[in-house]
Amino acid sequence: MPAPNTPSKTSQVITRELHAWIAAERAQGHGHDTILQAMLYAGWEHQVAAEALTSTPPPPLPVPWPELASSHMRLDGGDRLVELTTVMREPDIIVFENLLSAGECEALIEAARPRLHRSLTVSVETGGEEVHKDRTSEGMFFTRGENALTQRIEARIARLLEWPIENGEGLQVLRYRPGTEYKPHYDYFDPAEPGTPAILERGGQRVATLIMYLQEPESGGATVFPDVRLQVVPKRGHAVFFNYSQPHRCSQSLHGGMPVLAGEKWIATKWLRESVFT
């Protein structure tokens, strides 16, 4: 299907019609580069075409979300009742209380401590990993189901969020010392980046994040959601969960870890994919 009628180069405007055309092309399986080239061939300026692609949200994906129909604010995690302290919709954010016991928090820290190294981020250009100036923590990954402790926690998360265990990445444990932080970012993989197709081969898009607080710092270290002006104070055993049905800024899933001012903050992060993660 050809691109919509192209206005003159001096009056090119991104219209609802153009957004609809891009969405239809994506639905037919055409990738970012293919659509961009079609627009350039039709006469669209590169800058306008690129902005139109960036500003058109992809179709929504199914996302994890717990059953909240009951009147009380407790959920059955199988081996543990978990309380809810905050529930937000659009964007979807939940704060869980006592998701982990104090013993589980300490056991995760001690198992992770010998394996810590400078935290890496996913490189959206290559599909690999890289050190990034915005992330200054230390961290490590457990493989999914690596030991009895992680198996128990993963089963609890799967039951709470009604999402298959096999669709989850392994738990990542992070330590933030004073002065360290993770500046606001998105957890999904940008469809426009060249390394994204290789990343998606392992389980599709990330569709949700669960951040569990293993140790609270003396000061600082809140998880911040700038789009909705929300800060979640880290408290041992508690967790914050949020999903993002579209890998796009319209998901309002921008979040970050504010600098730790005193003490150490330890967290465990669980990322959930749209399909089986390998």
Side-chain angles (χ1 to χ4, degrees), residues 63-84:
V63 293
W65 188 253
E67 176 55 58
L68 301 178
S70 58
S71 58
H72 57 78
M73 298 302 283
R74 288 186 176 183
L75 295 178
D76 182 6
D79 63 344
R80 186 178 182 85
L81 285 177
V82 179
E83 298 181 358
L84 288 71

Side-chain angles (χ1 to χ4, degrees), residues 64 161 163 167-168 205-208 241 270-274:
L161 301 179
W163 204 249
N167 287 23
Q205 267 291 355
R206 283 178 177 166
V207 291
F241 166 78
K270 182 72 170 179
W271 287 294
L272 303 178
R273 298 288 191 106
E274 63 175 310

Side-chain angles (χ1 to χ4, degrees), residues 31 53 59 61 72 92 104 108 155 180 246:
L53 281 163
L61 298 167
H72 57 78
D92 293 341
E104 288 171 332
L108 281 174
T180 58
Q246 294 168 291

Side-chain angles (χ1 to χ4, degrees), residues 18-70:
L18 182 57
H19 280 311
W21 176 82
I22 292 172
E25 290 297 294
R26 285 174 174 165
Q28 294 178 30
H30 299 304
H32 177 91
D33 292 342
T34 300
I35 299 173
L36 177 62
Q37 290 303 315
M39 293 180 68
L40 297 179
Y41 182 79
W44 288 88
E45 287 283 306
H46 190 283
Q47 182 176 350
V48 178
E51 173 59 27
L53 281 163
T54 301
S55 60
T56 304
L61 298 167
V63 293
W65 188 253
E67 176 55 58
L68 301 178
S70 58

Side-chain angles (χ1 to χ4, degrees), residues 20-270:
W21 176 82
I22 292 172
E25 290 297 294
R26 285 174 174 165
Q28 294 178 30
H30 299 304
H32 177 91
D33 292 342
T34 300
I35 299 173
L36 177 62
Q37 290 303 315
M39 293 180 68
L40 297 179
Y41 182 79
W44 288 88
E45 287 283 306
H46 190 283
Q47 182 176 350
V48 178
E51 173 59 27
L53 281 163
T54 301
S55 60
T56 304
L61 298 167
V63 293
W65 188 253
E67 176 55 58
L68 301 178
S70 58
S71 58
H72 57 78
M73 298 302 283
R74 288 186 176 183
L75 295 178
D76 182 6
D79 63 344
R80 186 178 182 85
L81 285 177
V82 179
E83 298 181 358
L84 288 71
T85 61
T86 301
V87 178
M88 178 182 292
R89 301 306 307 262
E90 297 183 6
D92 293 341
I93 302 174
I94 294 179
V95 178
F96 292 111
E97 182 175 340
N98 295 321
L99 175 62
L100 302 178
S101 70
E104 288 171 332
C105 291
E106 191 60 38
L108 281 174
I109 289 173
E110 292 310 309
R113 193 185 297 275
R115 295 162 60 179
L116 293 177
H117 53 76
R118 171 68 187 270
S119 296
L120 303 176
T121 62
V122 175
S123 171
V124 292
E125 298 207 355
T126 67
E129 295 181 315
E130 62 183 0
V131 172
H132 197 287
K133 61 182 177 61
D134 289 348
R135 191 180 201 188
T136 52
S137 60
E138 300 168 277
M140 57 76 66
F141 273 97
F142 291 104
T143 59
R144 191 175 62 230
E146 180 172 323
N147 53 47
L149 175 63
T150 58
Q151 289 173 17
R152 182 169 72 248
I153 294 171
E154 288 165 352
R156 188 180 306 155
I157 293 169
R159 178 155 179 165
L160 283 172
L161 301 179
E162 301 184 3
W163 204 249
I165 290 177
E166 59 268 23
N167 287 23
E169 298 181 27
L171 288 176
Q172 182 189 46
V173 174
L174 298 170
R175 174 173 64 184
Y176 289 86
R177 299 176 187 267
T180 58
E181 64 179 320
Y182 196 177
K183 293 182 180 179
H185 59 283
Y186 297 100
D187 282 350
Y188 59 72
F189 306 114
D190 188 343
E193 295 292 344
T196 294
I199 298 170
L200 299 186
E201 289 178 359
R202 297 191 64 192
Q205 267 291 355
R206 283 178 177 166
V207 291
T209 302
L210 180 69
I211 300 172
M212 296 165 278
Y213 303 109
L214 308 180
Q215 177 177 302
E216 56 208 66
E218 296 172 24
S219 179
T223 302
V224 60
F225 296 84
D227 291 339
V228 293
R229 299 183 179 182
L230 174 67
Q231 289 187 20
V232 179
V233 176
K235 185 172 178 59
R236 171 174 272 196
H238 292 200
V240 60
F241 166 78
F242 53 100
N243 62 35
Y244 28 94
S245 64
Q246 294 168 291
H248 189 269
R249 59 178 179 265
C250 72
S251 66
Q252 296 185 288
S253 62
L254 184 69
H255 65 287
M258 297 181 69
V260 171
L261 303 179
E264 290 185 351
K265 179 179 78 170
W266 287 75
I267 65 172
T269 303
K270 182 72 170 179

